[in-house]
Amino acid sequence: MSPRAWREPLPLKTYPLGPPDPNPPFQRQNHTWACYPYPLLDDVLEGEPTVRDWNALHLENEYLHCIVLPELGGHLYSLLDKVTGREVFYRNNVVKYGLIAIRGAWISGGIEFNFPTGHTYTTVSPVSWELGEDEGGAWLAVGNICRVSRMEWWVKLTLEPGRRRLKEEVWLHNPMPYRQRHWFWNNSAVPARDDLRLVYPARKARLAGGIVDYPVHRDVDWSRYVNHTHADDIFTLDVEEDFFGCHYDQLDFGMVHVADRAKLKGKKFFTWGTADDGMRWVDLLTDDDGQYVEIQSGLFETQSEWGWLQPFETKNWEEYWLPEHGMDGWVWANEEAALNFDVRGAFVQVGATTTAKREGAQLALLSDGETVWSQGLDLDPAVPFVFQVPLPLEPGWKGELVLTQRDAEILRYVHPPRHTTQPKVAETGENVVPKPKPEEECTAEELCERADQAMLRLEHKEARRLYELGLERDAECVEAHCGLGALDVRSGRHVAASQHLGQVSSHDHAALGTDWLVTLLQVRSGSLSSIPQAMGDGRWRPFRRPGARHHERSRELVLDEALKTLEHTTATYRTDSSTPILEYSLARMCDACGSEDEAENAFGRARSCPPDLYFPSRLDELPVLEWAVERDPSDWKARYYLGNLLSFFDRHEEAMAQWRAAVGIDGSYAVLHRNLGFGALHWEENAKAAAEHYRRAIERNPDDHRYYLDLVGIFAKHLDKTPAQRLTLLRSAPEAVQQKWQVAAHVAELLVETGEH
């Protein structure tokens, strides 16, 4: 059959999920788990499921049927191997949310595409998608623009004609004029069974306890699922091959992943473990589909590593997912085929399967370059070949298994594989963790390296401290000025950024990556004519205007086109719950064009927008909201939004000032009081004031269970350390709040503390 692509709803039993948290997630800032401007989705509800028709994208050829759910982050939901009738990945037949993802709600199964961070922002949210068919096969693409970074990702999945494999193409792009941290991991799940065996061509791995030998460590074979009693993250290291995967011995079925190791280094295994503390996740995440494990592929060797995506840089690569069966296992693979090679006393069991039909192929066993056995084959993806070759092999025998077709090599396996000959970890000293150098002994450059690592962890406050300390050691440290300039650009402090970046203007901007930071500053300040002309790489040149009149006409033309575009966009997306930034932007544009009536109308619509869930985060929004506050100082919503944005920029004192002004105008909005309570506690270290703000938030919205839990936390850590007052507070909440599992669990803990067993 010809590959085909189509869209068809998929009915799935779906458990309830509460609405997004209307409180900006400032508690996650300066942390790897920062997710602002996305709201938290942490209200996983108890209750009966209902059947929901999910939008599903389908691909199918003669061997495979693929289903992707774009409303759930673009998850690959199912990949059915039509040859064996088995799912290649773990298929969860219900949508049951657990609190695992960076925003809270998460689902298990299939493949989760993670960029620019793990269990990412849109893992259970809608993403963009496309479907198509062409000479290359049937394909679908899912992707998204990240609201935190404005970076973009796309994953294209293709089923090719006559191929028993799924092709994955990935594109990552940074459209911003400054570097940004990123990673990419395919989080693929497969069923957890006692016969599950991992096929990872590695000699060492990183576990929670450090670097260890792999697969056998402390006399335990970690390639066997049954040997993992408790949760484990295993990252294989220094892998020199392009494949990894798994095999089920009893089913004689498995999965192969292939990608260029130069582009995709990460090969990870995760399990919850077979003990009770791990198996409880079965009930939390599914109904009848049992436990799963994760077999992940990623850009970097471990998930504690991040990389920089440079200004305007695009990364792309290909990956392949192959089912295999009927060979009694496999040891070697590429995107075309998989081989098995198992020495069993006087016999060698060999097997071969390919992803496409190949007539006239040959499988040969070589020893010292001489063929000692060969077999002609007509290969079919649905029919694997297995042979037992009787050979008088000696211990330590070396040889090769080669699959060819018409003298063209398809796949070659060398025995023993090179990773098995690597020295043990104890012999290399890698299991000894060196003590970090004391901070007072670090040079300015070393402090900047630590600051860069803090930036990769999104710990901006710590990064700023280290950069500033670097400048104390060396006032001309280029790296420190660049780092502080980047932080100031991110937070909208253009004057401060100009001062830092101006210190490195005589250095090699291209090497440091700061040229586009300077460009950005000039564009933001409107000083296009002063952009350095010596950038010299041809990426951008300022438009040379021949005269003032032409300049004014060009400006009018640009404004006119911008106004038309903004009017169209605002009208298209104008609803009762539309984001107010469109209306504020339209009002500002009309004001600049002298259209006072239109400006006032748009401003009125902006003021009437509900404030829930608008969390501004872009530098573009800063001048718009500042203009709105200046135009109408009595607009409390504009001040609330501006405070949120300033807080995201780590400008906490300014944020608190805007929120206090907003409360002075209209104190009816509970989230405003919560923000002030959060800021009083964490930025001003005033627990008493924080508690009072949270009390006011509860008065205005007594149905938000988070306010009670936050207030209880303030009492426990800073004020009344006895459980009685906390218990009284929680018992005073409405019944619906007390029935929340988060609150009920806390009440249970307090009852134990007070002896009310």
Side-chain angles (χ1 to χ4, degrees), residues 197-201 243-248 252-258 322 324-325 327-334 337-341 351 353:
R197 175 167 51 87
L198 306 176
V199 184
Y200 283 51
F243 65 85
F244 76 112
C246 66
H247 183 79
Y248 297 92
D252 200 4
F253 179 81
M255 182 268 286
V256 180
H257 173 271
V258 179
L322 292 59
E324 61 82 21
H325 79 288
M327 296 188 297
D328 202 17
W330 65 278
V331 296
W332 217 254
N334 63 13
L339 297 178
N340 192 27
F341 187 96
T353 184

Side-chain angles (χ1 to χ4, degrees), residues 222-532:
W222 296 105
S223 69
R224 293 285 180 176
Y225 164 69
V226 292
N227 291 333
H228 295 265
T229 54
H230 296 282
D232 271 324
D233 275 310
I234 296 180
F235 299 90
T236 52
L237 305 178
D238 293 349
V239 177
E240 297 182 356
E241 312 302 339
D242 295 334
F243 65 85
F244 76 112
C246 66
H247 183 79
Y248 297 92
D249 292 336
Q250 295 178 11
L251 299 178
D252 200 4
F253 179 81
M255 182 268 286
V256 180
H257 173 271
V258 179
D260 183 353
R261 64 187 180 279
K263 293 186 176 181
L264 216 66
K265 296 180 179 180
K267 294 173 172 57
K268 175 190 173 181
F269 172 71
F270 169 77
T271 173
W272 292 109
T274 58
D276 289 347
D277 61 346
M279 296 306 292
R280 68 191 178 95
W281 285 97
V282 175
D283 292 334
L284 291 172
L285 294 171
T286 189
D287 284 352
D288 304 312
D289 294 303
Q291 186 63 284
Y292 69 94
V293 298
E294 296 170 2
I295 294 181
Q296 301 190 23
S297 64
L299 272 177
F300 309 114
E301 275 198 323
T302 74
Q303 289 174 343
S304 61
E305 297 176 57
W306 303 82
W308 295 113
L309 204 57
Q310 297 298 329
F312 312 112
E313 182 183 6
T314 298
K315 287 185 178 180
N316 63 281
W317 65 86
E318 297 178 354
E319 307 179 46
Y320 296 89
W321 305 90
L322 292 59
E324 61 82 21
H325 79 288
M327 296 188 297
D328 202 17
W330 65 278
V331 296
W332 217 254
N334 63 13
E335 68 272 20
E336 301 292 341
L339 297 178
N340 192 27
F341 187 96
D342 189 6
V343 178
R344 301 179 177 181
F347 291 88
V348 178
Q349 178 149 317
V350 299
T353 184
T354 57
T355 62
K357 292 183 178 180
R358 293 181 180 273
E359 297 180 354
Q362 185 180 62
L363 188 64
L365 186 63
L366 281 62
S367 180
D368 294 328
E370 299 293 329
T371 301
V372 296
W373 171 89
S374 66
Q375 177 70 48
L377 306 168
D378 288 333
L379 292 170
D380 187 317
V383 185
F385 284 85
V386 177
F387 304 93
Q388 283 193 339
V389 182
L391 289 175
L393 301 178
E394 299 295 332
W397 175 85
K398 297 180 180 180
E400 296 172 293
L401 184 65
V402 184
L403 180 64
T404 58
Q405 182 185 30
R406 301 185 182 93
D407 297 326
E409 185 176 301
I410 301 172
L411 185 59
R412 177 184 295 262
Y413 165 73
V414 178
H415 179 81
R418 52 191 168 189
H419 67 271
T420 62
T421 63
Q422 293 175 350
K424 292 186 175 182
V425 169
E427 298 169 358
T428 63
E430 291 173 282
N431 57 342
V432 178
V433 180
K435 292 183 179 180
K437 190 175 182 179
E439 194 172 275
E440 58 271 15
E441 298 178 10
C442 291
T443 65
E445 289 75 15
E446 290 171 335
L447 289 169
C448 290
E449 289 178 6
R450 294 187 180 185
D452 283 349
Q453 292 303 309
M455 286 287 288
L456 288 172
R457 297 189 300 271
L458 296 183
E459 297 172 0
H460 299 132
K461 183 177 180 180
E462 174 67 3
R464 183 177 290 276
R465 183 188 71 83
L466 290 167
Y467 286 133
E468 289 175 346
L469 187 57
L471 282 185
E472 291 179 11
R473 304 276 167 88
D474 179 0
E476 296 183 357
C477 179
V478 172
E479 292 83 356
H481 281 298
C482 289
L484 289 169
L487 283 168
D488 287 333
V489 166
R490 174 196 170 275
S491 61
R493 297 182 175 100
H494 297 155
V495 174
S498 297
Q499 292 171 348
H500 282 297
L501 296 173
Q503 298 295 316
V504 297
S505 60
S506 62
H507 295 269
D508 184 355
H509 286 174
L512 294 171
T514 60
D515 50 350
W516 286 97
L517 286 172
V518 175
T519 303
L520 176 69
L521 292 170
Q522 299 291 345
V523 172
R524 296 295 184 198
S525 63
S527 304
L528 288 174
S529 61
S530 62
I531 294 176

